[in-house]
Amino acid sequence: MLGKILGGRYQITHHLGGGGFGQTYLAEDLHLPGKPQCVVKQLKPRVTNLEALQTARRLFDTEAEVLYALGNHDQIPRLFAHFEENRDFFLVQEFVEGEVFSQEIKARKQFPETEVIDLVQDILTVLEFVHQQQVVHRDIKPSNLIRRKGDRRMILIDFGAVKQIGIEAYESPDQASVTVAVGSSGYMPNEQLAGKPHFSSDVYAVGMLAIQCLVGINPKRLKEDPKTSEIIWRDQAQVSPEFAAILDKMVRYDFRQRYPSAKEALDDLRSLTSTTPISTLLSEQTLVSFEGHLAWLERGDDLFQLQRYKEAVSAYDRVIQAKPEEYLAWFKRGIALENLKRYKDAAESYEQVVRLHPEDYLAWYKWGGALEHLHRYQEALQSYERVVELQPDNYWVWHDRGKVLEALRRYDDAIASYDRAVQLKPDFQLAVESRKRVLSQLSRVDALYHLQHYDEAVASCDRAIQENPNDPIPWLMRGMALENLERYEEAIAAYDRVVEIQPDDHVAWFKRANLLEKLNRYEEAIASYSKVVQIQPENYWAWHDRGRLLEHLQRYEEAIVSYDRAVQIKPDFQAAVEGRRRMLNQMQSKVVPPPVEEDDETIVSVGISEQPTSEFGGQELEAIVNDDRHCLIGKGSGLAPQEETTISSQKEVEETTIRAPIEDATTISLPQPNLGESTSVAIADENYHQRLEKGLALEKEQRYLEALAAYDQASHIYAADAHLWQRRGHVLCALGRYETAIASYRRALELEPENVDIWCSLGGTFIQLKQLPEAVACFNQAVQLNPTNHIPWYWQGRLQYELKQYPAAIQSFNRALELKPDFQPAIQERLRTQRQLNALEVQNVGV
């Protein structure tokens, strides 16, 4: 079975065990991102005729329905799928990471009473839900319990009714009314052995399991009273009379004398673990000396260390009754209650702590965790928000805040919270996986790619392609992700699909050529590079790489033509200059030079002047493009934070940003492209508008890489639009590719050298690179072009402050205020600068 794929998606990886009724395997789900693990149970009914097979199929379907309903409980593995294959039946369930309880019993033998009470309460809580669904488990025993690794809670597996499939198939039609005994010796009461199980039969099994944990003896070896047939066990365990009485009732020989279901047993058990109500603790004042108060606190701590949490809670209660304002006792009481899984009581204790100490971030955090367990997500979020206020760099609370936001279906906020956790601790794998999970669910291909989650990006592209097979963008992103996974053949197939849909997509042709070259398929690579230069005749990189491959194939005359063209387009392109020189020497000497092998890093994507894979991942995108389409340089600019400065309104915040307004795509007015007599200008203009509008829409959705591809496609139709190059610069800033953005803004300025907005955008990009003198020059230019605009004056002052040019900075702020007297940011910055200047003057006088 190992390696076999079942149901077209579940690949078997390990054999977990099995018996006469079937086998259990660990598998990977090939249809989900990351190939998550799951458990596959193979049920093999021993049948000899069609009628018996139909009986088995009916029982299997019924059992699957039961498991599906039961899977809604957190402590029962969810059913993912059920299917029949080659007359075998398969159940696919959630994989639970943890330890089978039989191994824990084998290692520890005996357990203290407090732990056994917790164990029984945990199992009965699940069993109460099962019985409410009118289901009898039939086979509760240590090997059917898993202690989950994450929270140490008991998970109930392997419902005994499944085994009927392997048994009832033997029955003939006239025996169909016979009920088969399913269960395990020692844990199965007499009525179940007779084939007539009740809810109380499960209660019996839990009671026998508890007795086994207390006495350290397998139930089959326990003695029975010969007169009553009751189990004799009390003399072999240290147990309180109250708990012993509950266990005796759970394991009565006559099922009518037992608890009728898990609910009744659980109600009695809870009476042993009940907590003093908060109102009682606060109202019943007990006079205890100072020494007595400390003694109870120490006793509670000692009991806590021994994991005797219930007794510890009682000790802390005595402290609180004597001194209700003792927040430490409240706090420790909450932690002990959490260990008892009594989250409601724990939450009430933490609420008292934050009432007494509102600045205790840990109490707020613990309160949020307890509320989260209670599924009170909105309240939990408020608690976590308070922790963030008190400890903004606490990466754990950012992660848990993300979990709650995810539960509230606020997925974008959850992603942002996980992002913050990873920023604070880049190796915080739990936050990385949580963010990846949400992004995969939302099919955020662009974000997954940037974060280097390439497998998940491929899966998201596949979903998008399934919805619209003719959209080239998912195919392009799929190819790029596969390329990073070094699955080159599949990546080439994706790029092939792009150029099939969109034959003039030079990016896909260029990337296709790169991969064909990696695979040593040189002739095909040359053909792809030739296609690029056909679409983009001015693409000097494509001419160079075409020449390099022709040189490698010793086709020197063709190679020199390609190198010549690259140098004509870019005379300072040193790699092409050297290639042409080699070819000229070769043509003169008639000696064949060795083929030139250049480093792969010299191959770059056409239209994307740097390899995106070298720049994505780990960079904090300090320049962003917000929803109203303005490129901001105020946030994350690297400038010193304002001291005692607040911006009084949203309007003033907007006025302090360097923005490049953009019209609605339907109203953009462009000059007609000059495409020559053989081409329809109207069609080309329409295609240009389509590419530009697509880029604007993608940019608005913050799908920056796809927007960049759209702008590049527009540029090879018509490259003389400054507005296009400015938008391209904005998305490059959003991707953190500032050097490339500068080149794009400079291209825009070549077309519109007096455009103030472009100068401001260029200045903002220099700020990101900490190239402050260059930024000053840009804003100086903007001031000269439009001296009546207060924004460039303000930013010129901010930059002068950073360069410690305080008198000049004050003059710039004064000029901004002459143009707009009520501009608060300039007023506040001028005040800060004046204080700095005064401090320097005092210092100089002192010297």
Side-chain angles (χ1 to χ4, degrees):
M1 285 288 286
L2 295 183
K4 187 175 181 179
I5 298 175
L6 300 173
R9 68 184 289 181
Y10 304 105
Q11 185 168 33
I12 303 299
T13 58
H14 295 88
H15 179 241
L16 297 179
F21 299 109
Q23 302 295 321
T24 304
Y25 301 94
L26 190 64
E28 292 180 344
D29 189 341
L30 303 180
H31 284 198
L32 291 179
K35 300 178 183 177
Q37 291 182 317
C38 54
V39 172
V40 175
K41 293 185 179 181
Q42 179 189 28
L43 308 170
K44 299 178 70 69
R46 299 187 292 271
V47 297
T48 57
N49 57 65
L50 181 60
E51 187 174 7
L53 180 65
Q54 290 174 344
T55 301
R57 184 178 293 115
R58 174 179 56 80
L59 289 168
F60 173 72
D61 290 339
T62 302
E63 184 61 26
E65 291 174 8
V66 171
L67 289 175
Y68 184 77
L70 293 176
N72 293 325
H73 195 283
D74 178 56
Q75 290 172 263
I76 299 173
R78 286 172 293 169
L79 178 69
F80 291 149
H82 76 290
F83 54 89
E84 180 183 346
E85 199 169 282
N86 299 325
R87 290 198 172 188
D88 286 343
F89 303 107
F90 296 92
L91 294 170
V92 184
Q93 289 183 278
E94 174 186 8
F95 170 66
V96 178
E97 186 177 4
E99 181 182 26
V100 178
F101 189 57
S102 56
Q103 297 297 320
E104 188 174 340
I105 287 181
K106 185 178 180 181
R108 297 184 60 185
K109 301 294 183 185
Q110 287 183 272
F111 295 69
E113 178 180 346
T114 53
E115 285 192 41
V116 178
I117 291 174
D118 290 343
L119 172 68
V120 173
Q121 188 168 5
D122 203 7
I123 299 172
L124 287 176
T125 300
V126 190
L127 206 51
E128 180 183 23
F129 171 79
V130 173
H131 289 173
Q132 286 171 351
Q133 312 307 312
Q134 301 303 304
V135 174
V136 181
H137 185 283
R138 306 196 201 191
D139 200 14
I140 295 173
K141 59 183 179 181
S143 60
N144 282 341
L145 294 164
I146 297 176
R147 194 181 288 280
R148 188 161 54 196
K149 183 178 180 180
D151 57 9
R152 306 289 294 165
R153 302 192 75 178
M154 279 297 175
I155 309 301
L156 188 57
I157 65 170
D158 198 13
F159 283 71
V162 174
K163 297 176 182 176
Q164 280 187 256
I165 298 170
I167 297 172
E168 291 195 18
Y170 286 118
E171 299 176 3
S172 61
D174 59 338
Q175 295 175 315
S177 62
V178 177
T179 307
V180 180
V182 177
S184 298
S185 177
Y187 305 95
M188 181 169 52
N190 63 313
E191 75 277 359
Q192 187 174 339
L193 187 62
K196 297 181 178 180
H198 301 277
F199 293 140
S200 63
S201 306
D202 286 343
V203 175
Y204 179 94
V206 178
M208 294 303 292
L209 176 63
I211 291 171
Q212 179 182 1
C213 291
L214 288 169
V215 302
I217 297 175
N218 189 289
K220 291 188 293 186
R221 295 168 49 201
L222 291 172
K223 296 180 181 179
E224 294 183 0
D225 187 317
K227 295 180 180 179
T228 63
S229 296
E230 303 292 354
I231 303 297
I232 300 173
W233 66 276
R234 285 202 189 193
D235 59 332
Q236 301 176 72
Q238 292 184 349
V239 61
S240 65
E242 297 82 4
F243 186 39
I246 291 174
L247 292 179
D248 280 340
K249 188 171 180 179
M250 292 176 73
V251 298
R252 289 293 184 197
Y253 179 80
D254 187 343
F255 74 90
R256 291 166 295 188
Q257 296 178 11
R258 291 186 219 128
Y259 295 104
S261 72
K263 180 183 183 304
E264 291 78 12
L266 192 59
D267 288 343
D268 270 9
L269 189 64
R270 282 172 177 158
S271 67
L272 296 182
T273 60
S274 60
T275 305
T276 307
I278 297 293
S279 58
T280 303
L281 288 175
L282 294 174
S283 61
E284 292 185 0
Q285 298 284 324
T286 303
L287 295 177
V288 178
S289 66
F290 179 72
E291 291 78 7
H293 158 261
L294 291 179
W296 278 111
L297 189 62
E298 290 176 3
R299 177 170 173 74
D301 292 346
D302 291 340
L303 290 165
F304 187 96
Q305 292 299 321
L306 294 171
Q307 298 183 14
R308 294 163 61 180
Y309 301 120
K310 180 179 178 298
E311 298 168 76
V313 170
S314 298
Y316 294 137
D317 285 349
R318 293 294 299 271
V319 178
I320 292 166
Q321 287 172 333
K323 193 176 180 183
E325 304 300 304
E326 181 56 68
Y327 79 95
L328 196 56
W330 283 110
F331 187 82
K332 292 179 177 180
R333 181 180 190 269
I335 297 175
L337 288 164
E338 267 198 86
N339 280 279
L340 292 169
K341 300 182 179 62
R342 285 148 55 186
Y343 299 111
K344 183 176 182 296
D345 296 326
E348 291 175 349
S349 282
Y350 295 135
E351 185 176 8
Q352 293 299 318
V353 180
V354 300
R355 179 183 63 81
L356 295 167
H357 273 259
E359 305 302 310
D360 190 329
Y361 81 91
L362 188 55
W364 282 104
Y365 182 69
K366 298 291 286 182
W367 191 16
L371 291 167
E372 187 180 344
H373 274 289
L374 296 169
H375 306 299
R376 291 158 59 181
Y377 297 120
Q378 194 60 51
E379 297 169 81
L381 178 61
Q382 293 171 1
S383 290
Y384 290 146
E385 296 283 10
R386 181 63 176 140
V387 180
V388 168
E389 291 176 17
L390 296 168
Q391 276 208 330
D393 293 339
N394 187 322
Y395 54 86
W396 266 111
V397 74
W398 282 106
H399 172 268
D400 291 350
R401 178 179 179 271
K403 279 198 307 176
V404 171
L405 288 164
E406 194 177 340
L408 291 170
R409 300 182 183 276
R410 293 169 54 182
Y411 298 117
D412 286 326
D413 294 333
I415 292 169
S417 205
Y418 292 139
D419 272 339
R420 183 59 182 147
V422 175
Q423 288 171 9
L424 292 167
K425 186 176 175 59
D427 61 346
F428 190 10
Q429 198 58 34
L430 182 60
V432 171
E433 292 299 322
S434 297
R435 179 180 62 183
K436 179 167 49 174
R437 182 187 62 252
V438 180
L439 289 170
S440 296
Q441 289 172 353
L442 299 178
S443 296
R444 299 283 178 82
V445 180
D446 200 23
L448 289 166
Y449 182 87
H450 294 166
L451 294 169
Q452 301 181 20
H453 301 321
Y454 300 121
D455 281 316
E456 290 75 14
V458 171
S460 293
C461 287
D462 287 344
R463 289 194 291 273
I465 289 167
Q466 191 172 9
E467 292 177 7
N468 185 3
N470 294 320
D471 185 352
I473 296 298
W475 284 107
L476 180 64
M477 295 294 294
R478 187 179 197 274
M480 293 166 63
L482 289 166
E483 188 175 341
N484 280 280
L485 292 170
E486 299 184 0
R487 291 159 59 180
Y488 298 133
E489 293 287 357
E490 295 173 78
I492 291 171
Y495 295 142
D496 284 345
R497 183 67 180 124
V498 177
V499 298
E500 179 184 343
I501 299 168
Q502 200 164 265
D504 61 348
D505 193 316
H506 65 279
V507 175
W509 282 112
F510 197 96
K511 286 186 162 296
R512 182 179 187 274
N514 287 345
L515 293 186
L516 289 167
E517 182 178 353
K518 282 180 181 290
L519 297 174
N520 299 326
R521 292 160 59 179
Y522 300 119
E523 292 290 353
E524 295 174 79
I526 291 171
S528 282
Y529 286 130
S530 297
K531 188 67 177 178
V532 176
V533 298
Q534 179 186 343
I535 298 167
Q536 279 198 327
E538 302 301 308
N539 191 316
Y540 53 87
W541 267 112
W543 282 111
H544 167 269
D545 289 348
R546 181 178 183 274
R548 182 167 48 76
L549 287 187
L550 290 164
E551 179 181 356
H552 182 78
L553 295 175
Q554 300 184 11
R555 291 159 59 180
Y556 303 120
E557 293 84 356
E558 296 173 78
I560 198 169
V561 171
S562 281
Y563 285 138
D564 271 339
R565 186 72 183 108
V567 174
Q568 288 170 12
I569 298 167
K570 187 175 175 60
D572 60 346
F573 188 12
Q574 199 58 38
V577 171
E578 291 297 320
R580 183 177 61 177
R581 180 185 56 76
R582 287 193 304 274
M583 293 299 92
L584 289 171
N585 290 340
Q586 170 61 23
M587 298 294 287
Q588 291 171 359
S589 62
K590 304 297 183 182
V591 176
V592 177
V596 177
E597 297 289 347
E598 296 196 20
D599 187 77
D600 286 344
E601 292 181 358
T602 63
I603 303 173
V604 299
S605 298
V606 62
I608 305 175
S609 58
E610 299 172 7
Q611 285 283 17
T613 55
S614 69
E615 297 188 5
F616 296 152
Q619 291 194 17
E620 182 177 356
L621 301 182
E622 296 176 339
I624 65 171
V625 180
N626 69 0
D627 287 339
D628 63 359
R629 320 307 296 155
H630 296 142
C631 185
L632 309 182
I633 69 169
K635 181 176 181 179
S637 64
L639 299 181
Q642 300 183 31
E643 299 170 5
E644 303 176 9
T645 298
T646 59
I647 298 178
S648 60
S649 70
Q650 178 63 29
K651 180 180 178 183
E652 289 172 353
V653 172
E654 293 175 353
E655 288 177 330
T656 61
T657 64
I658 302 304
R659 55 175 102 186
I662 180 168
E663 303 91 352
D664 184 81
T666 60
T667 63
I668 296 175
S669 176
L670 297 171
Q672 292 289 335
N674 182 10
L675 300 169
E677 296 178 357
S678 62
T679 307
S680 169
V681 172
I683 294 174
D685 186 42
E686 181 181 356
N687 289 338
Y688 175 80
H689 277 279
Q690 287 176 351
R691 300 291 191 275
L692 182 59
E693 288 171 9
K694 185 174 184 178
L696 297 175
L698 291 166
E699 185 181 354
K700 186 173 183 179
E701 294 174 11
Q702 299 185 11
R703 294 161 62 182
Y704 300 125
L705 190 63
E706 296 166 75
L708 181 61
Y711 289 147
D712 284 342
Q713 290 165 4
S715 71
H716 78 252
I717 298 173
Y718 182 61
D721 180 11
H723 176 72
L724 168 66
W725 292 103
Q726 186 180 12
R727 298 315 309 174
R728 185 175 183 275
H730 291 345
V731 295
L732 287 165
C733 280
L735 293 169
R737 298 167 58 179
Y738 303 121
E739 296 285 357
T740 316
I742 287 172
S744 200
Y745 288 136
R746 289 196 186 282
R747 181 69 182 273
L749 287 171
E750 290 174 9
L751 298 168
E752 289 186 17
E754 296 185 0
N755 189 312
V756 172
D757 288 332
I758 300 173
W759 279 108
C760 289
S761 297
L762 180 60
T765 311
F766 278 126
I767 291 175
Q768 302 299 333
L769 295 172
K770 306 298 187 292
Q771 298 179 17
L772 300 186
E774 291 84 350
V776 169
C778 289
F779 288 112
N780 284 344
Q781 183 66 22
V783 166
Q784 291 175 18
L785 291 170
N786 188 358
T788 62
N789 188 333
H790 64 287
I791 293 295
W793 285 108
Y794 167 78
W795 279 104
Q796 186 180 61
R798 287 289 301 273
L799 289 165
Q800 288 165 338
Y801 179 93
E802 291 300 313
L803 295 169
K804 303 187 187 309
Q805 300 172 5
Y806 301 122
I810 289 174
Q811 290 179 10
S812 293
F813 292 134
N814 284 339
R815 182 60 180 140
L817 290 169
E818 288 174 12
L819 296 168
K820 188 173 175 60
D822 61 343
F823 189 36
Q824 287 299 316
I827 293 172
Q828 294 160 352
E829 285 298 314
R830 182 177 65 181
L831 180 61
R832 180 167 73 117
T833 308
Q834 188 63 58
R835 286 202 301 266
Q836 185 68 28
L837 192 59
N838 293 342
L840 288 175
E841 290 174 356
V842 169
Q843 184 179 356
N844 291 335
V845 170
V847 175

